[in-house]
């Protein structure tokens, strides 16, 4: 069938996703009194098995055996205290990993032990659970030093709710649920301590100053922190709070808090943080909705809302192939999708493509669904309970051919010959931003060809005023022009304008003026970039047409790759992928000279680039213009290589 031509014009991105849309979907649909009336009491709230018999009736024996084995491997685990020196290491060296290695490790061990005890029910793991619970309760701060304003040490008189304080509270809530009765037999003060610490570190701060946290702003856009924390707050409240009136108050307040994330989305539901962050953003919204539905006997239900449907569909719209996903900003290029999460979410949304993607992902990446991750533990438990109910696994699913996400200005397009193109406009104040307005990436039969290099390791510099000193955040290391030696700048005003997308049977393209993304010193009047997947010619075309205030002193074009690069033939850069596919980047040799370099992998921010791309180095191809002019038009094509 002939594909309908689609043209979407956006004159200025500032009218789009960057602002809050006051939908307040949950608050408008449900009153606090309705929620209070529908809420299942704590005593009756039994979302998960609590005895070996219940586990056996619900979860396959093979999975239960693995849970017990995981617990056995933790029996000798030492719940190490977190010293002041360990906490201070972040502000002294910038390294986050020493602290998180201990902190996250303790919580992972506790989950393994408590589930093993609940599944087996013989008391073998109870003492170890006790030590884990007590050790975590003894910590001065449940979050990470990077989230407390460079003090290194926490102010214990002023508890801060960050991602991992909320995660920790949820872990302890699950411990109370699964092994609370056994802990009572050891000493009734243990569960009392769980509640006391959770109330002090999560419940009371959220009730008294929750609106003051930037991640919960009622007026500014918020990111994945909001639904991620809300999901843990909901889970913990349902598990631990005995005062039913206060319990209902916190559940309703979490719902109005979740509204703030939904208000921050564009109508297309796109996640400007990328698909690896969607697992903590859109997927966490689903966690919240699932928890709320279970706890209110389905009274709270938003699955028919178009925004929620679009938010779910975003994930498969940015799937390239296998474990590769579109990775603009800080998103990772590789992600093993959680098939059972997608299956459950797809069923809730009545989205058959998401259901089928879940069936495919479970068959290919079962460990992502059935091995406990570092976070979202209630999601993992729900996966366990769903494992035997999935209809079947699938060897493949029908991928989206083309998608235009207008609010985040991302275009994806796929061709029958194996090309996958993603490109975007947007602005340089997006969540987890890189200065990358106008960037693109190209894959061929599932292999990366022209890439967005992705992010490095998170350190103190990553989220400081030195962020854009890191090469992987700079436009000079994205597939973009460098003008008069200058790259793009960070900030809301540095954006694409006159953005137009076109999708047809013959081609798919994005056209935009990226000049506003550059500083005034670059001397640009306009820089109109068009990135096209030309299906008819079996090639990708990048065309830059520009006008400058005066003749530039230098002009370069960047192409990033992990392919082997051969520049020996003028006008042609031969690219050979790890799978030995060959392609050619064509340029005018009379106008350009070519060189290459390898960005640094030295230093703690860059360690991951040694392995991120299957141990292949990231390489930058630089085309330097030798026919400088004040006004011009340059075109480049990438196509399969045909030897003469």
């Amino acid at each position: 069938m002939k594909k309908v031509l689609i043209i979407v014009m956006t004159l200025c991105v500032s009218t789009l996703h960057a602002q809050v849309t006051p939908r307040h979907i949950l608050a408008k649909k449900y009153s606090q009194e309705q929620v209070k009336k529908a809420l299942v009491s704590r005593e009756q709230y039994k979302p998960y098995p609590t005895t070996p018999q219940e586990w056996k009736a619900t979860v396959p024996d093979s999975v239960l055996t693995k849970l017990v084995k995981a617990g056995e491997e933790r029996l000798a685990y030492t719940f190490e205290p977190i010293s002041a020196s360990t906490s201070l290491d972040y502000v002294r060296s910038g390294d986050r990993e020493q602290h998180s290695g201990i902190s996250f490790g303790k919580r992972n061990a506790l989950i393994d032990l408590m589930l093993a005890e609940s599944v087996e029910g013989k008391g073998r793991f109870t003492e170890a659970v006790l030590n884990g619970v007590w050790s975590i309760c003894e910590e001065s701060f449940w979050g990470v030093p990077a989230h407390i304003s460079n003090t290194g040490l926490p102010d214990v008189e002023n508890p801060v709710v960050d991602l991992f304080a909320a995660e920790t509270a949820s872990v302890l809530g699950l411990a109370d649920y699964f092994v609370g009765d056994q802990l009572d037999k050891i000493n009734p003060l243990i569960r009392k301590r769980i509640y006391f610490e959770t109330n002090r570190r999560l419940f009371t701060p959220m009730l008294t100053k929750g609106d003051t946290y930037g991640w919960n702003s009622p007026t500014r856009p918020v990111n994945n922190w909001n639904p991620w924390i809300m999901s843990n707050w909901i889970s913990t409240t349902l598990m631990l709070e005995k005062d039913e009136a206060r319990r209902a108050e916190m559940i309703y307040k979490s719902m109005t808090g979740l509204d703030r994330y939904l208000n921050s989305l564009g109508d297309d539901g796109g996640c400007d943080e990328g698909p690896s962050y969607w697992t903590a953003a859109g997927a966490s919204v689903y966690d919240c909705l699932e928890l709320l539905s279970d706890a209110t006997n389905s009274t709270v239900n938003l699955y028919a809302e178009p925004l929620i449907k679009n938010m779910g569909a975003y994930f498969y719209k940015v799937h390239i192939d296998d474990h590769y996903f579109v990775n603009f900003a800080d998103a990772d290029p590789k992600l093993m999708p959680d098939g059972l999460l997608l299956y459950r979410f797809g069923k809730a949304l009545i989205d058959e493509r998401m259901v089928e993607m879940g069936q495919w992902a479970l068959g290919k990446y079962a460990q992502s669904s059935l091995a406990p991750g570092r976070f979202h533990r209630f999601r993992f438990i729900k996966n366990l309970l769903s494992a035997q109910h999935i209809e079947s696994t699938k060897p493949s699913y029908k991928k989206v051919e083309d998608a235009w996400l207008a609010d985040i200005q991302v275009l994806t397009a796929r061709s029958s010959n194996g090309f996958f193109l993603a490109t975007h406009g947007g602005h340089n104040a997006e969540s987890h931003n890189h200065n990358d307005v106008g960037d693109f990436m190209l894959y061929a039969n599932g292999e990366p060809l022209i890439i967005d290099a992705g992010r490095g390791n998170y350190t103190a510099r990553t989220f400081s005023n030195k962020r854009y000193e890191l090469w992987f955040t700079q436009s000079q290391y994205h597939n973009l022009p460098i003008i008069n030696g200058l790259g793009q700048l960070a900030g809301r005003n540095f954006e694409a304008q006159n953005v137009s997308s076109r999708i047809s049977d013959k081609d798919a393209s994005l056209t935009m003026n990226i000049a506003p993304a550059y500083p005034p010193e670059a001397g640009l009047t306009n820089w109109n970039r068009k990135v096209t997947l030309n299906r008819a010619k079996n090639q990708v075309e990048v065309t830059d047409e520009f006008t400058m205030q005066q003749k530039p002193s230098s002009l370069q074009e960047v192409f990033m790759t992990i392919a082997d690069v051969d520049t020996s033939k003028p006008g042609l850069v031969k690219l050979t992928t790890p799978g030995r596919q060959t392609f050619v980047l064509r340029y005018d040799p009379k106008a350009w000279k070519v060189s290459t370099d390898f960005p640094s992998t030295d230093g703690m921010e860059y360690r991951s680039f040694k392995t991120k791309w299957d141990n292949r180095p990231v390489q930058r191809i630089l085309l330097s213009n030798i026919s400088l002019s004040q006004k011009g038009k340059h075109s480049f094509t990438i196509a399969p290589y045909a030897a003469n």
Side-chain angles (χ1 to χ4, degrees), residues 440-613:
F440 75 97
M441 63 187 70
L442 176 62
Y443 281 64
N445 296 304
E447 283 195 287
L449 186 60
I450 302 298
I451 65 167
D452 184 307
R455 68 171 177 89
N457 301 78
Y458 283 167
T459 68
R461 272 212 294 174
T462 312
F463 297 108
S464 73
N465 58 8
K466 298 181 179 180
R467 175 177 177 84
Y468 296 98
E469 295 176 5
L470 301 167
W471 67 255
F472 56 81
T473 63
Q474 299 171 7
S475 68
Q476 295 93 318
Y477 291 87
H478 288 77
N479 304 302
L480 290 162
I482 303 173
I483 302 159
N484 283 322
L486 299 172
Q488 297 179 8
L489 292 186
R492 185 59 192 80
N493 294 329
F494 298 96
E495 62 182 3
Q497 292 184 353
N498 301 327
V499 178
S500 173
S501 74
R502 167 193 165 98
I503 298 174
S504 73
D505 284 340
K506 292 183 178 180
D507 60 29
S509 65
L510 188 65
T511 304
M512 65 207 117
N513 178 15
I514 63 173
Y518 287 80
E521 294 80 9
L524 284 173
T525 302
N526 61 69
W527 191 288
N528 293 314
R529 163 163 281 211
K530 184 177 182 180
V531 183
T532 303
L533 174 61
N534 189 324
R535 305 182 219 265
K537 293 185 178 180
N538 191 25
Q539 65 186 23
V540 167
E541 301 157 357
V542 180
T543 301
D544 286 337
E545 187 171 4
F546 64 91
T547 303
M548 304 191 67
Q549 296 166 13
Q550 60 187 27
K551 181 179 176 181
S553 60
S554 67
L555 193 158
Q556 295 174 299
E557 293 275 3
V558 174
F559 298 88
M560 305 293 293
T561 188
I562 60 163
D564 293 333
V565 175
D566 181 352
T567 62
S568 59
K569 188 172 181 180
L572 182 155
V573 179
K574 184 179 177 184
L575 303 167
T576 304
T577 70
R580 310 314 295 169
Q581 297 184 83
T582 54
F583 300 87
V584 60
L585 164 63
R586 295 188 184 277
Y587 64 93
D588 180 358
K590 296 178 181 179
W592 303 90
K593 62 179 181 180
V594 63
S595 62
T596 63
D597 61 22
F598 292 90
S600 174
T601 59
D602 295 331
M604 56 187 169
E605 287 92 359
Y606 305 130
R607 286 191 299 244
S608 64
F609 286 104
K610 297 179 187 294
T611 58
K612 180 185 292 287
W613 293 96

Side-chain angles (χ1 to χ4, degrees), residues 347-502:
K347 285 289 188 182
L349 295 174
I350 317 178
D351 184 331
E352 193 56 36
R353 196 190 299 265
M354 181 176 274
V355 169
E356 291 182 356
M357 185 184 191
Q359 292 171 300
W360 162 78
L362 181 63
K364 195 169 184 67
Y365 306 111
Q367 67 272 30
S368 293
S369 295
L370 295 173
R374 296 194 302 173
F375 312 118
H376 318 293
R377 276 78 175 200
F378 37 79
R379 183 187 300 175
F380 163 64
I381 296 167
K382 273 290 191 178
N383 280 352
L384 295 178
L385 304 182
S386 306
Q388 64 182 5
H389 302 297
I390 193 167
E391 294 157 2
S392 62
T393 59
K394 290 181 177 291
S396 63
Y397 80 101
K398 187 175 181 180
K399 298 181 182 68
V400 172
E401 186 172 336
D402 306 292
W404 168 236
L405 300 164
D407 292 305
I408 57 173
Q409 298 187 340
V410 170
L411 173 74
T412 64
R414 195 183 304 272
S415 68
S416 59
N417 59 36
F419 272 156
F420 177 96
L421 172 73
T423 184
H424 75 118
H427 58 86
N428 281 335
E430 295 167 341
S431 186
H432 290 271
N433 178 68
H434 291 190
N435 291 337
D436 60 356
V437 172
D439 189 21
F440 75 97
M441 63 187 70
L442 176 62
Y443 281 64
N445 296 304
E447 283 195 287
L449 186 60
I450 302 298
I451 65 167
D452 184 307
R455 68 171 177 89
N457 301 78
Y458 283 167
T459 68
R461 272 212 294 174
T462 312
F463 297 108
S464 73
N465 58 8
K466 298 181 179 180
R467 175 177 177 84
Y468 296 98
E469 295 176 5
L470 301 167
W471 67 255
F472 56 81
T473 63
Q474 299 171 7
S475 68
Q476 295 93 318
Y477 291 87
H478 288 77
N479 304 302
L480 290 162
I482 303 173
I483 302 159
N484 283 322
L486 299 172
Q488 297 179 8
L489 292 186
R492 185 59 192 80
N493 294 329
F494 298 96
E495 62 182 3
Q497 292 184 353
N498 301 327
V499 178
S500 173
S501 74
R502 167 193 165 98

